[in-house]
Amino acid sequence: MTSANTSRLRVAICGAGIGGLTFALALSRYPDIDIEIYESARALTEVGAGIGIFPRPWKVIKMLGLEADLLKVTETQVIDGPVSGFRYRKSDQCEGEHIFTLVTQGSLMLFHRADYQQTILNHLPKRCHTHCSKRLRSYTQRQSGPIELFFEDGTTASCDVLVGADGVKSVVRAGVLNEKAQWARSEGRFKEAAEILQHVEPVWSGATAYRALIPTQKLQAIAPDHQVLYTPGVQYLGKGGYILAYRISGGKFINFVAFVIQHHLENTKFNGPWMTNVDTGAFASTFAHWEPDVQALVACVEKPMQWAIHTVLPMQSFVSGKVALLGDAAHSMTPHQGSGAGQAIEDACILATVLGHPSTNRTNVAQRALRVFDSIRCPFAYKVMEVSRANGRHFTLLDESGVVDIDKLPQKQQREYLQRLSRSIIQNWEWAWTSSIDKPLHDAINMMESSL
Ligand SMILES: Cc1cc2nc3c(=O)[nH]c(=O)nc-3n(C[C@H](O)[C@H](O)[C@H](O)COP(=O)(O)OP(=O)(O)OC[C@H]3O[C@@H](n4cnc5c(N)ncnc54)[C@H](O)[C@@H]3O)c2cc1C
Protein backbone atom coordinates (compact mmCIF):
# COMPACT_ATOMS: atom_id res chain seq x y z
CA MET A 1 0.00 0.00 0.00
CA THR A 2 1.47 3.32 -1.00
CA SER A 3 1.74 6.19 1.40
CA ALA A 4 1.46 8.65 -1.52
CA ASN A 5 -1.42 11.11 -0.92
CA THR A 6 -2.30 9.49 2.32
CA SER A 7 -1.24 8.04 5.59
CA ARG A 8 -2.29 4.52 6.63
CA LEU A 9 -5.39 2.97 5.05
CA ARG A 10 -8.02 2.29 7.71
CA VAL A 11 -10.19 -0.74 6.99
CA ALA A 12 -13.29 -1.54 9.06
CA ILE A 13 -14.70 -5.07 8.89
CA CYS A 14 -18.33 -5.51 9.91
CA GLY A 15 -18.84 -9.10 11.12
CA ALA A 16 -16.43 -11.61 12.64
CA GLY A 17 -17.72 -14.85 11.12
CA ILE A 18 -15.51 -17.11 9.03
CA GLY A 19 -15.45 -14.53 6.22
CA GLY A 20 -14.61 -11.48 8.35
CA LEU A 21 -11.97 -13.25 10.45
CA THR A 22 -10.26 -14.88 7.48
CA PHE A 23 -10.20 -11.51 5.73
CA ALA A 24 -8.75 -9.80 8.81
CA LEU A 25 -6.00 -12.41 8.96
CA ALA A 26 -5.24 -12.09 5.24
CA LEU A 27 -5.14 -8.28 5.52
CA SER A 28 -2.94 -8.34 8.60
CA ARG A 29 -0.03 -9.42 6.35
CA TYR A 30 0.14 -5.76 5.23
CA PRO A 31 1.56 -3.76 8.12
CA ASP A 32 0.53 -0.38 6.64
CA ILE A 33 -3.17 -1.13 7.01
CA ASP A 34 -5.13 -0.46 10.21
CA ILE A 35 -7.80 -3.09 10.87
CA GLU A 36 -10.86 -2.72 13.12
CA ILE A 37 -13.41 -5.54 13.38
CA TYR A 38 -16.93 -4.79 14.60
CA GLU A 39 -19.05 -7.76 15.68
CA SER A 40 -22.62 -7.58 16.93
CA ALA A 41 -22.38 -10.65 19.19
CA ARG A 42 -21.19 -10.31 22.78
CA ALA A 43 -18.46 -12.89 22.18
CA LEU A 44 -16.99 -14.67 19.19
CA THR A 45 -18.68 -18.05 18.92
CA GLU A 46 -19.48 -20.43 16.09
CA VAL A 47 -22.43 -22.71 15.59
CA GLY A 48 -21.95 -26.25 16.98
CA ALA A 49 -21.56 -27.96 13.62
CA GLY A 50 -19.05 -29.20 11.11
CA ILE A 51 -17.59 -27.53 8.07
CA GLY A 52 -15.88 -28.92 4.99
CA ILE A 53 -13.19 -27.04 3.07
CA PHE A 54 -12.43 -28.13 -0.50
CA PRO A 55 -8.93 -28.09 -2.05
CA ARG A 56 -9.38 -24.71 -3.80
CA PRO A 57 -10.07 -22.61 -0.66
CA TRP A 58 -7.75 -24.91 1.34
CA LYS A 59 -4.87 -23.40 -0.66
CA VAL A 60 -5.78 -20.00 0.81
CA ILE A 61 -5.71 -21.52 4.30
CA LYS A 62 -2.21 -22.80 3.57
CA MET A 63 -1.12 -19.40 2.27
CA LEU A 64 -2.33 -17.86 5.53
CA GLY A 65 -0.17 -20.27 7.54
CA LEU A 66 -3.12 -22.05 9.20
CA GLU A 67 -2.53 -25.55 7.88
CA ALA A 68 -0.27 -26.96 10.62
CA ASP A 69 -2.58 -25.86 13.44
CA LEU A 70 -5.74 -26.93 11.65
CA LEU A 71 -4.29 -30.38 11.06
CA LYS A 72 -4.08 -30.77 14.84
CA VAL A 73 -7.89 -30.54 15.11
CA THR A 74 -9.00 -32.88 12.33
CA GLU A 75 -8.83 -36.55 11.44
CA THR A 76 -8.64 -35.66 7.75
CA GLN A 77 -5.24 -36.14 6.17
CA VAL A 78 -3.94 -33.87 3.45
CA ILE A 79 -3.59 -35.90 0.26
CA ASP A 80 -2.78 -34.15 -3.01
CA GLY A 81 -3.82 -36.88 -5.47
CA PRO A 82 -7.20 -38.59 -5.94
CA VAL A 83 -9.12 -39.12 -2.69
CA SER A 84 -12.24 -41.23 -2.23
CA GLY A 85 -14.58 -39.00 -0.26
CA PHE A 86 -18.29 -39.04 0.55
CA ARG A 87 -20.44 -41.98 -0.50
CA TYR A 88 -23.79 -41.29 -2.16
CA ARG A 89 -26.76 -43.59 -1.67
CA LYS A 90 -30.37 -43.77 -2.72
CA SER A 91 -31.85 -44.16 0.73
CA ASP A 92 -35.57 -43.46 0.55
CA GLN A 93 -36.37 -47.19 0.53
CA CYS A 94 -36.13 -50.15 2.96
CA GLU A 95 -32.79 -51.24 1.53
CA GLY A 96 -30.61 -48.38 0.35
CA GLU A 97 -28.38 -48.64 -2.71
CA HIS A 98 -24.93 -47.24 -3.36
CA ILE A 99 -24.88 -44.77 -6.26
CA PHE A 100 -21.28 -43.51 -6.39
CA THR A 101 -18.31 -42.37 -4.35
CA LEU A 102 -17.13 -38.81 -4.84
CA VAL A 103 -13.47 -38.76 -5.83
CA THR A 104 -11.79 -35.40 -5.37
CA GLN A 105 -8.29 -34.30 -6.33
CA GLY A 106 -7.01 -33.43 -2.88
CA SER A 107 -8.80 -33.95 0.41
CA LEU A 108 -12.01 -32.34 1.56
CA MET A 109 -10.88 -31.08 4.97
CA LEU A 110 -13.47 -31.55 7.73
CA PHE A 111 -13.60 -29.52 10.95
CA HIS A 112 -15.67 -28.52 13.89
CA ARG A 113 -16.47 -24.85 13.22
CA ALA A 114 -15.36 -23.77 16.67
CA ASP A 115 -11.93 -25.34 16.07
CA TYR A 116 -11.60 -23.56 12.75
CA GLN A 117 -12.59 -20.22 14.29
CA GLN A 118 -10.28 -20.64 17.29
CA THR A 119 -7.35 -21.41 14.99
CA ILE A 120 -7.85 -18.16 13.07
CA LEU A 121 -8.20 -16.23 16.34
CA ASN A 122 -4.93 -17.74 17.59
CA HIS A 123 -3.19 -16.42 14.47
CA LEU A 124 -4.80 -12.98 14.41
CA PRO A 125 -2.24 -10.36 15.43
CA LYS A 126 -3.14 -8.02 18.32
CA ARG A 127 -3.16 -5.05 15.97
CA CYS A 128 -6.44 -6.36 14.48
CA HIS A 129 -8.76 -4.83 17.06
CA THR A 130 -11.96 -6.78 17.60
CA HIS A 131 -14.91 -4.89 19.12
CA CYS A 132 -17.75 -7.16 20.27
CA SER A 133 -21.32 -5.97 21.03
CA LYS A 134 -20.99 -3.48 18.15
CA ARG A 135 -23.97 -3.91 15.86
CA LEU A 136 -23.70 -1.68 12.81
CA ARG A 137 -26.95 0.17 12.13
CA SER A 138 -25.93 2.15 9.03
CA TYR A 139 -23.09 4.01 7.35
CA THR A 140 -22.63 7.09 5.19
CA GLN A 141 -20.01 7.73 2.53
CA ARG A 142 -19.39 10.84 0.46
CA GLN A 143 -17.32 11.52 -2.70
CA SER A 144 -14.30 12.18 -0.48
CA GLY A 145 -13.47 11.87 3.18
CA PRO A 146 -13.93 8.95 5.55
CA ILE A 147 -16.92 6.62 5.80
CA GLU A 148 -18.95 7.18 8.98
CA LEU A 149 -20.22 4.12 10.85
CA PHE A 150 -23.25 4.27 13.16
CA PHE A 151 -23.80 1.52 15.73
CA GLU A 152 -26.97 0.45 17.51
CA ASP A 153 -25.48 1.47 20.88
CA GLY A 154 -25.30 5.10 19.70
CA THR A 155 -21.54 5.15 19.15
CA THR A 156 -19.83 6.01 15.85
CA ALA A 157 -16.53 5.28 14.14
CA SER A 158 -14.92 6.10 10.82
CA CYS A 159 -12.81 4.29 8.23
CA ASP A 160 -11.47 4.63 4.68
CA VAL A 161 -12.81 1.28 3.46
CA LEU A 162 -15.77 -0.64 4.88
CA VAL A 163 -16.02 -4.38 4.32
CA GLY A 164 -19.41 -5.94 4.99
CA ALA A 165 -18.83 -9.50 6.21
CA ASP A 166 -22.06 -9.40 8.19
CA GLY A 167 -23.77 -12.48 6.83
CA VAL A 168 -26.98 -13.19 5.00
CA LYS A 169 -29.00 -10.40 6.70
CA SER A 170 -26.21 -7.88 5.98
CA VAL A 171 -26.83 -4.26 6.97
CA VAL A 172 -23.89 -3.26 4.79
CA ARG A 173 -25.54 -4.91 1.76
CA ALA A 174 -28.68 -2.90 2.47
CA GLY A 175 -26.51 0.25 2.54
CA VAL A 176 -24.74 -0.61 -0.72
CA LEU A 177 -28.02 -1.35 -2.51
CA ASN A 178 -29.78 1.72 -1.14
CA GLU A 179 -26.90 3.89 -2.42
CA LYS A 180 -27.11 2.32 -5.86
CA ALA A 181 -30.89 2.67 -5.96
CA GLN A 182 -30.61 6.32 -4.94
CA TRP A 183 -28.15 7.04 -7.78
CA ALA A 184 -30.40 5.25 -10.25
CA ARG A 185 -33.44 7.27 -9.07
CA SER A 186 -31.48 10.55 -9.25
CA GLU A 187 -30.85 9.79 -12.94
CA GLY A 188 -34.48 8.88 -13.59
CA ARG A 189 -33.86 5.11 -13.80
CA PHE A 190 -36.76 4.19 -11.53
CA LYS A 191 -37.31 0.63 -12.80
CA GLU A 192 -33.64 -0.16 -12.20
CA ALA A 193 -33.82 1.33 -8.70
CA ALA A 194 -36.77 -0.92 -7.84
CA GLU A 195 -34.91 -3.95 -9.25
CA ILE A 196 -31.80 -3.16 -7.18
CA LEU A 197 -33.82 -3.03 -3.97
CA GLN A 198 -35.13 -6.56 -4.53
CA HIS A 199 -31.73 -7.85 -3.42
CA VAL A 200 -31.81 -6.28 0.04
CA GLU A 201 -33.93 -8.95 1.71
CA PRO A 202 -32.77 -12.57 1.59
CA VAL A 203 -35.19 -15.13 0.16
CA TRP A 204 -35.97 -18.60 1.43
CA SER A 205 -34.49 -21.40 -0.70
CA GLY A 206 -37.31 -23.82 0.18
CA ALA A 207 -34.76 -25.87 2.17
CA THR A 208 -34.74 -26.35 5.92
CA ALA A 209 -31.70 -27.87 7.59
CA TYR A 210 -31.74 -29.76 10.89
CA ARG A 211 -28.26 -29.82 12.40
CA ALA A 212 -26.88 -31.75 15.35
CA LEU A 213 -23.65 -33.18 16.65
CA ILE A 214 -23.95 -36.87 17.54
CA PRO A 215 -21.41 -38.37 19.96
CA THR A 216 -19.72 -41.10 17.88
CA GLN A 217 -19.94 -43.58 20.77
CA LYS A 218 -23.70 -43.21 20.81
CA LEU A 219 -23.98 -44.34 17.18
CA GLN A 220 -21.42 -47.08 17.73
CA ALA A 221 -23.53 -48.47 20.57
CA ILE A 222 -26.66 -48.93 18.46
CA ALA A 223 -25.13 -49.55 15.01
CA PRO A 224 -21.52 -50.78 15.22
CA ASP A 225 -21.36 -51.44 11.45
CA HIS A 226 -22.72 -48.03 10.46
CA GLN A 227 -21.04 -46.67 7.30
CA VAL A 228 -20.43 -43.26 8.82
CA LEU A 229 -18.12 -44.88 11.38
CA TYR A 230 -15.64 -46.18 8.82
CA THR A 231 -15.92 -43.93 5.74
CA PRO A 232 -15.08 -40.24 5.20
CA GLY A 233 -18.82 -39.52 5.21
CA VAL A 234 -22.12 -40.52 3.66
CA GLN A 235 -24.82 -38.56 1.88
CA TYR A 236 -28.22 -40.29 1.94
CA LEU A 237 -30.39 -39.07 -0.95
CA GLY A 238 -34.09 -39.36 -1.57
CA LYS A 239 -37.19 -37.54 -2.71
CA GLY A 240 -37.94 -34.47 -0.61
CA GLY A 241 -34.64 -34.30 1.26
CA TYR A 242 -31.26 -35.72 2.07
CA ILE A 243 -28.99 -36.39 5.03
CA LEU A 244 -25.26 -35.74 5.30
CA ALA A 245 -23.15 -37.25 8.07
CA TYR A 246 -19.39 -37.22 8.69
CA ARG A 247 -17.00 -37.45 11.64
CA ILE A 248 -15.28 -34.37 13.07
CA SER A 249 -13.22 -33.40 16.14
CA GLY A 250 -10.79 -36.29 15.77
CA GLY A 251 -13.69 -38.72 15.41
CA LYS A 252 -15.40 -37.71 18.66
CA PHE A 253 -18.56 -36.37 17.01
CA ILE A 254 -20.60 -36.98 13.92
CA ASN A 255 -21.76 -33.86 12.12
CA PHE A 256 -25.37 -34.55 11.16
CA VAL A 257 -27.47 -32.42 8.81
CA ALA A 258 -30.87 -33.41 7.47
CA PHE A 259 -32.35 -31.25 4.71
CA VAL A 260 -36.04 -31.14 4.02
CA ILE A 261 -36.44 -29.43 0.63
CA GLN A 262 -39.59 -27.98 -0.93
CA HIS A 263 -38.30 -26.76 -4.28
CA HIS A 264 -41.64 -25.20 -5.21
CA LEU A 265 -41.19 -22.75 -2.31
CA GLU A 266 -37.83 -21.43 -3.58
CA ASN A 267 -37.52 -17.63 -3.38
CA THR A 268 -40.55 -17.22 -1.12
CA LYS A 269 -40.78 -15.75 2.35
CA PHE A 270 -40.17 -18.10 5.26
CA ASN A 271 -42.75 -17.72 8.00
CA GLY A 272 -41.26 -18.26 11.44
CA PRO A 273 -37.87 -17.93 13.07
CA TRP A 274 -34.96 -18.70 10.72
CA MET A 275 -33.06 -20.49 13.44
CA THR A 276 -34.56 -22.33 16.39
CA ASN A 277 -34.18 -25.44 18.54
CA VAL A 278 -36.72 -28.13 17.70
CA ASP A 279 -37.48 -31.76 18.51
CA THR A 280 -36.43 -34.58 16.21
CA GLY A 281 -40.10 -34.95 15.30
CA ALA A 282 -39.81 -31.74 13.25
CA PHE A 283 -38.00 -33.61 10.47
CA ALA A 284 -38.07 -37.35 11.29
CA SER A 285 -41.32 -38.04 9.40
CA THR A 286 -39.67 -37.05 6.08
CA PHE A 287 -37.16 -39.88 6.57
CA ALA A 288 -39.47 -42.41 8.28
CA HIS A 289 -39.40 -45.01 5.51
CA TRP A 290 -35.70 -44.59 4.65
CA GLU A 291 -32.98 -47.26 5.00
CA PRO A 292 -31.78 -48.53 8.44
CA ASP A 293 -28.54 -46.46 8.42
CA VAL A 294 -30.69 -43.33 8.32
CA GLN A 295 -32.97 -44.57 11.10
CA ALA A 296 -29.93 -45.17 13.32
CA LEU A 297 -28.64 -41.63 12.78
CA VAL A 298 -32.03 -40.04 13.37
CA ALA A 299 -32.43 -42.07 16.58
CA CYS A 300 -29.17 -40.55 17.89
CA VAL A 301 -30.17 -36.92 17.23
CA GLU A 302 -31.12 -34.82 20.24
CA LYS A 303 -32.38 -31.24 20.19
CA PRO A 304 -31.47 -30.40 16.61
CA MET A 305 -31.18 -26.81 15.46
CA GLN A 306 -33.52 -25.91 12.62
CA TRP A 307 -32.17 -23.48 9.98
CA ALA A 308 -34.29 -22.06 7.23
CA ILE A 309 -31.77 -21.75 4.41
CA HIS A 310 -31.87 -18.29 2.86
CA THR A 311 -30.03 -16.95 -0.16
CA VAL A 312 -29.45 -13.55 -1.69
CA LEU A 313 -30.65 -12.99 -5.26
CA PRO A 314 -27.52 -12.36 -7.40
CA MET A 315 -26.56 -8.67 -7.57
CA GLN A 316 -24.60 -6.89 -10.31
CA SER A 317 -21.74 -5.99 -8.00
CA PHE A 318 -20.31 -6.49 -4.51
CA VAL A 319 -19.01 -2.92 -4.32
CA SER A 320 -20.24 0.64 -3.95
CA GLY A 321 -17.59 3.36 -3.74
CA LYS A 322 -15.29 2.40 -0.88
CA VAL A 323 -17.61 -0.26 0.52
CA ALA A 324 -17.27 -3.94 -0.41
CA LEU A 325 -19.21 -7.06 0.55
CA LEU A 326 -17.81 -10.52 1.15
CA GLY A 327 -19.03 -13.97 2.18
CA ASP A 328 -22.72 -14.54 2.80
CA ALA A 329 -23.36 -10.78 2.80
CA ALA A 330 -22.45 -10.83 -0.90
CA HIS A 331 -23.48 -14.27 -2.12
CA SER A 332 -25.34 -16.30 0.48
CA MET A 333 -25.91 -19.60 -1.30
CA THR A 334 -27.49 -22.95 -0.54
CA PRO A 335 -25.10 -25.29 1.31
CA HIS A 336 -25.52 -28.14 -1.19
CA GLN A 337 -21.88 -27.92 -2.26
CA GLY A 338 -20.50 -27.09 1.19
CA SER A 339 -18.90 -24.04 -0.33
CA GLY A 340 -20.33 -20.84 1.19
CA ALA A 341 -17.48 -20.51 3.66
CA GLY A 342 -14.98 -21.58 1.01
CA GLN A 343 -16.18 -18.76 -1.20
CA ALA A 344 -15.90 -16.32 1.72
CA ILE A 345 -12.31 -17.51 2.17
CA GLU A 346 -11.58 -16.87 -1.52
CA ASP A 347 -13.15 -13.38 -1.27
CA ALA A 348 -10.91 -12.72 1.73
CA CYS A 349 -7.81 -13.72 -0.19
CA ILE A 350 -8.48 -11.60 -3.28
CA LEU A 351 -9.77 -8.56 -1.39
CA ALA A 352 -6.78 -8.51 0.97
CA THR A 353 -4.39 -8.89 -1.97
CA VAL A 354 -5.76 -5.89 -3.87
CA LEU A 355 -6.10 -3.69 -0.77
CA GLY A 356 -2.55 -4.58 0.28
CA HIS A 357 -1.08 -3.99 -3.18
CA PRO A 358 1.69 -1.35 -3.01
CA SER A 359 -0.19 0.94 -5.40
CA THR A 360 -3.44 1.09 -3.37
CA ASN A 361 -4.20 4.27 -1.48
CA ARG A 362 -7.22 6.13 -0.12
CA THR A 363 -7.62 8.13 -3.28
CA ASN A 364 -7.67 5.27 -5.79
CA VAL A 365 -9.05 2.37 -3.73
CA ALA A 366 -12.62 2.66 -5.06
CA GLN A 367 -11.63 2.96 -8.73
CA ARG A 368 -8.95 0.29 -8.75
CA ALA A 369 -8.60 -2.24 -5.92
CA LEU A 370 -12.30 -2.68 -5.21
CA ARG A 371 -13.20 -2.86 -8.90
CA VAL A 372 -10.60 -5.55 -9.49
CA PHE A 373 -11.96 -7.52 -6.50
CA ASP A 374 -15.50 -7.16 -7.84
CA SER A 375 -14.69 -8.18 -11.40
CA ILE A 376 -12.93 -11.34 -10.23
CA ARG A 377 -15.09 -12.51 -7.34
CA CYS A 378 -18.65 -11.53 -8.28
CA PRO A 379 -19.02 -13.76 -11.39
CA PHE A 380 -17.21 -16.71 -9.84
CA ALA A 381 -19.13 -16.76 -6.56
CA TYR A 382 -22.42 -16.61 -8.44
CA LYS A 383 -21.38 -19.52 -10.65
CA VAL A 384 -20.78 -21.57 -7.49
CA MET A 385 -24.17 -20.44 -6.17
CA GLU A 386 -25.82 -21.72 -9.36
CA VAL A 387 -24.20 -25.17 -9.30
CA SER A 388 -24.92 -25.49 -5.59
CA ARG A 389 -28.59 -24.94 -6.36
CA ALA A 390 -28.46 -27.54 -9.16
CA ASN A 391 -26.88 -30.12 -6.86
CA GLY A 392 -29.55 -29.44 -4.24
CA ARG A 393 -32.10 -30.57 -6.82
CA HIS A 394 -30.06 -33.65 -7.77
CA PHE A 395 -29.72 -34.62 -4.10
CA THR A 396 -33.50 -34.95 -4.04
CA LEU A 397 -33.29 -37.11 -7.17
CA LEU A 398 -34.47 -34.47 -9.62
CA ASP A 399 -32.74 -33.90 -12.93
CA GLU A 400 -32.74 -30.58 -14.83
CA SER A 401 -36.28 -31.19 -16.10
CA GLY A 402 -37.53 -31.66 -12.55
CA VAL A 403 -40.46 -33.82 -13.72
CA VAL A 404 -39.13 -37.38 -13.59
CA ASP A 405 -40.37 -39.54 -10.71
CA ILE A 406 -37.56 -42.05 -10.37
CA ASP A 407 -39.70 -44.58 -8.54
CA LYS A 408 -42.01 -44.84 -11.54
CA LEU A 409 -39.16 -45.82 -13.88
CA PRO A 410 -38.37 -49.49 -14.66
CA GLN A 411 -35.32 -50.74 -12.73
CA LYS A 412 -32.83 -50.48 -15.62
CA GLN A 413 -33.87 -46.91 -16.38
CA GLN A 414 -33.71 -46.05 -12.66
CA ARG A 415 -30.06 -47.14 -12.67
CA GLU A 416 -29.33 -45.07 -15.81
CA TYR A 417 -31.11 -42.07 -14.33
CA LEU A 418 -29.03 -42.29 -11.14
CA GLN A 419 -25.84 -42.58 -13.21
CA ARG A 420 -26.82 -39.44 -15.15
CA LEU A 421 -27.51 -37.58 -11.89
CA SER A 422 -24.13 -38.65 -10.47
CA ARG A 423 -22.29 -37.40 -13.55
CA SER A 424 -24.06 -34.08 -13.28
CA ILE A 425 -23.35 -33.78 -9.53
CA ILE A 426 -19.64 -34.44 -10.14
CA GLN A 427 -19.44 -32.02 -13.08
CA ASN A 428 -21.14 -29.29 -11.05
CA TRP A 429 -18.64 -29.80 -8.24
CA GLU A 430 -15.37 -30.32 -10.11
CA TRP A 431 -14.35 -26.65 -10.00
CA ALA A 432 -13.62 -27.13 -6.27
CA TRP A 433 -10.63 -29.41 -6.98
CA THR A 434 -9.79 -28.99 -10.69
CA SER A 435 -9.35 -25.20 -10.57
CA SER A 436 -7.04 -23.24 -8.31
CA ILE A 437 -7.05 -19.91 -6.51
CA ASP A 438 -3.67 -19.23 -8.20
CA LYS A 439 -5.22 -18.01 -11.43
CA PRO A 440 -7.65 -15.44 -9.96
CA LEU A 441 -4.89 -14.33 -7.63
CA HIS A 442 -2.48 -13.74 -10.52
CA ASP A 443 -5.25 -12.09 -12.54
CA ALA A 444 -5.96 -9.73 -9.64
CA ILE A 445 -2.31 -8.74 -9.33
CA ASN A 446 -1.95 -8.33 -13.12
CA MET A 447 -5.05 -6.15 -13.24
CA MET A 448 -3.71 -4.03 -10.39
CA GLU A 449 -0.40 -3.60 -12.21
CA SER A 450 -1.83 -3.01 -15.66
CA SER A 451 -4.08 -0.26 -14.32
CA LEU A 452 -1.08 1.66 -12.95
C1 LIG B 1 -26.29 -26.41 7.08
C2 LIG B 1 -25.13 -25.65 6.51
C3 LIG B 1 -23.95 -26.33 6.20
C4 LIG B 1 -22.87 -25.64 5.64
N1 LIG B 1 -21.73 -26.32 5.34
C5 LIG B 1 -20.70 -25.68 4.76
C6 LIG B 1 -19.49 -26.38 4.44
O1 LIG B 1 -19.35 -27.57 4.72
N2 LIG B 1 -18.50 -25.69 3.81
C7 LIG B 1 -18.62 -24.36 3.49
O2 LIG B 1 -17.69 -23.80 2.88
N3 LIG B 1 -19.74 -23.68 3.81
C8 LIG B 1 -20.77 -24.29 4.44
N4 LIG B 1 -21.89 -23.60 4.77
C9 LIG B 1 -21.97 -22.16 4.48
C10 LIG B 1 -21.21 -21.36 5.52
O3 LIG B 1 -21.64 -21.71 6.80
C11 LIG B 1 -21.41 -19.86 5.32
O4 LIG B 1 -21.30 -19.54 3.96
C12 LIG B 1 -20.35 -19.09 6.10
O5 LIG B 1 -20.41 -19.41 7.47
C13 LIG B 1 -20.57 -17.58 5.92
O6 LIG B 1 -19.62 -16.88 6.66
P1 LIG B 1 -19.73 -15.29 6.79
O7 LIG B 1 -18.57 -14.89 7.64
O8 LIG B 1 -19.86 -14.68 5.44
O9 LIG B 1 -21.10 -15.02 7.51
P2 LIG B 1 -21.56 -15.39 9.00
O10 LIG B 1 -20.95 -16.65 9.44
O11 LIG B 1 -23.04 -15.28 9.01
O12 LIG B 1 -20.93 -14.23 9.89
C14 LIG B 1 -21.47 -12.93 9.93
C15 LIG B 1 -21.02 -12.27 11.22
O13 LIG B 1 -21.46 -10.92 11.21
C16 LIG B 1 -22.06 -10.60 12.44
N5 LIG B 1 -23.03 -9.52 12.17
C17 LIG B 1 -24.23 -9.62 11.56
N6 LIG B 1 -24.82 -8.42 11.47
C18 LIG B 1 -23.96 -7.53 12.03
C19 LIG B 1 -24.00 -6.12 12.23
N7 LIG B 1 -25.04 -5.39 11.82
N8 LIG B 1 -22.94 -5.52 12.86
C20 LIG B 1 -21.86 -6.25 13.26
N9 LIG B 1 -21.78 -7.60 13.11
C21 LIG B 1 -22.82 -8.22 12.48
C22 LIG B 1 -22.69 -11.91 12.90
O14 LIG B 1 -22.90 -11.92 14.30
C23 LIG B 1 -21.64 -12.91 12.45
O15 LIG B 1 -20.65 -13.12 13.42
C24 LIG B 1 -22.97 -24.25 5.38
C25 LIG B 1 -24.15 -23.57 5.71
C26 LIG B 1 -25.21 -24.25 6.30
C27 LIG B 1 -26.44 -23.48 6.66
Side-chain angles (χ1 to χ4, degrees), residues 156 187 220 252 268 290 306 326 334 383 394 437:
T156 60
E187 290 174 3
Q220 248 155 1
K252 208 165 137 205
T268 59
W290 289 36
Q306 174 185 290
L326 71 70
T334 55
K383 234 184 260 167
H394 293 343
I437 189 71

Side-chain angles (χ1 to χ4, degrees), residues 6 54 56 59 66 78 84 116 177 179 190 195 203 224 254 258 265 279 297 314 335 344 357 361-363 398 437 447:
T6 62
F54 280 96
R56 188 174 146 125
K59 181 129 194 214
L66 297 171
V78 178
S84 288
Y116 179 87
L177 293 170
E179 280 178 329
F190 296 104
E195 203 279 326
V203 289
I254 291 161
L265 294 178
D279 288 323
L297 283 167
H357 190 271
N361 61 42
R362 270 186 212 164
T363 319
L398 290 177
I437 189 71
M447 283 163 86

Side-chain angles (χ1 to χ4, degrees), residues 14-20 38-41 46 50-53 113 134-136 165-168 171 209 211 246 257 259 307 309 326-329 335 338-344:
C14 177
I18 287 178
Y38 299 102
E39 164 58 48
S40 57
E46 255 295 345
I51 188 159
I53 310 279
R113 283 172 182 255
K134 282 283 166 199
R135 180 177 288 280
L136 189 77
D166 50 344
V168 63
V171 164
R211 306 168 96 173
Y246 57 82
V257 195
F259 289 92
W307 289 57
I309 307 291
L326 71 70
D328 278 11
S339 287
Q343 287 306 289

